[in-house]
Amino acid sequence: MDFSMWFRVFTIGTAVAALAGCDVTKEMAVEKGKDMVASALKDPDSAKFQGVFMAENQAIGDTHYGFLCGEVNSRNSFGGFTGFRRFVANFNYSKQGSFEVSYVTLEEGVNAKINSNGASYFQDIYWLGKCEPKPAPKKIEQISADLPITKTAAAESKKTTKPNTMKTAPTAVPGGAKWAVQVASMSDASQAASLQEKITVGGFTSYVTTKEGKTRVYVGPFADRAKAEGQVEELRTKQLLKGFVVRVEQ
């Protein structure tokens, strides 16, 4: 289905800035991100923002990745303000002062198409899951008829309802391997598991480690550094992930 009539999607380049004397904070990065989003509008100088924030989903080294979310109002081709509309953009920044904004998606405001659930397509496709967590699916309660339970059936029920006490063992690092590519460090173990699954489906060998409340996702391990460095470029082109080579902790 073609959504081009409902959203404006555009890409702007990478801007690099150096803020002398201090590390870049998330608040500083958001302010820079607003300037970069404004630069892609019809009248950048007229842009007014409200409720802008970064929804971070991972950090690799000193670089933080996620989405820039908020509302923007600016003048159109006729010189009038369009009214505040939500936007979502891919966003990353590093503490060293580099920033990148791409794939900015702007809601069409009063012209936004509404789906059968009463929500805009922008809300369902772009906003939820990136800027706000998706709502949990409604539980369907199963109603069963009250049937008499025989002694045999009760005994079988006890046999089949024993709790599963099996625990999943952590992924082991093969002996002799010295190098790996770290692609993420997350505090949310479920997000780390999802990323590992995505990497594995893409044809890479992946494992995770957990230490001090952080789950780190790796590709590898490898016996020599050259093989690990070769995977960095493949991860960038095939998975759009920025990794770096590390020595394996045995």
Side-chain angles (χ1 to χ4, degrees):
M1 184 179 291
D2 181 9
F3 294 108
S4 59
M5 65 180 292
W6 301 325
F7 312 114
R8 286 186 60 200
V9 182
F10 46 89
T11 306
I12 58 180
T14 303
V16 178
L19 302 178
C22 63
D23 288 339
V24 174
T25 64
K26 181 181 289 189
E27 290 74 18
M28 297 162 65
V30 167
E31 290 302 312
K32 184 63 181 179
K34 288 160 60 176
D35 293 340
M36 296 170 71
V37 170
S39 69
L41 300 175
K42 181 71 70 175
D43 186 351
D45 293 335
S46 69
K48 299 179 181 180
F49 292 87
Q50 67 181 21
V52 181
F53 62 95
M54 179 185 181
E56 184 176 337
N57 56 22
Q58 68 172 316
I60 301 175
D62 73 339
T63 303
H64 300 261
Y65 297 84
F67 301 97
L68 194 65
C69 310
E71 297 182 17
V72 62
N73 187 9
S74 64
R75 295 184 186 275
N76 57 24
S77 302
F78 302 101
F81 280 95
T82 60
F84 280 100
R85 293 178 291 171
R86 291 183 295 180
F87 69 88
V88 180
N90 291 356
F91 184 55
N92 69 71
Y93 75 93
S94 74
K95 292 186 177 181
Q96 301 302 315
S98 66
F99 308 87
E100 183 176 356
V101 170
S102 60
Y103 297 104
V104 181
T105 307
L106 190 63
E107 190 173 22
E108 286 293 357
V110 294
N111 297 321
K113 295 294 181 180
I114 305 300
N115 63 20
S116 59
N117 296 324
S120 68
Y121 285 95
F122 176 90
Q123 172 81 1
D124 276 353
I125 297 172
Y126 293 98
W127 191 264
L128 293 180
K130 294 180 179 179
C131 301
E132 292 180 12
K134 288 187 176 182
K138 294 181 179 179
K139 293 183 178 179
I140 300 176
E141 295 184 2
Q142 201 169 26
I143 302 175
S144 58
D146 293 330
L147 299 175
I149 302 176
T150 63
K151 292 183 179 181
T152 304
E156 290 298 325
S157 176
K158 289 181 180 180
K159 290 180 182 179
T160 57
T161 56
K162 290 183 179 179
N164 183 6
T165 58
M166 184 180 295
K167 295 182 179 179
T168 304
T171 305
V173 179
K178 297 181 179 179
W179 304 96
V181 180
Q182 181 176 326
V183 294
S185 176
M186 302 177 175
S187 54
D188 189 330
S190 61
Q191 286 189 359
S194 297
L195 178 60
Q196 184 191 14
E197 182 180 0
K198 174 188 173 185
I199 293 171
T200 303
V201 170
F204 296 88
T205 302
S206 178
Y207 70 95
V208 299
T209 63
T210 302
K211 184 178 181 181
E212 297 177 352
K214 291 286 185 180
T215 301
R216 293 175 173 82
V217 183
Y218 299 90
V219 168
F222 307 96
D224 58 80
R225 186 184 181 99
K227 289 184 179 179
E229 290 176 343
Q231 292 291 289
V232 172
E233 180 62 18
E234 283 197 45
L235 285 164
R236 188 185 70 81
T237 56
K238 295 181 180 180
Q239 296 280 326
L240 301 180
L241 293 172
K242 295 181 180 180
F244 55 93
V245 177
V246 297
R247 186 180 290 275
V248 171
E249 295 182 8
Q250 297 292 345

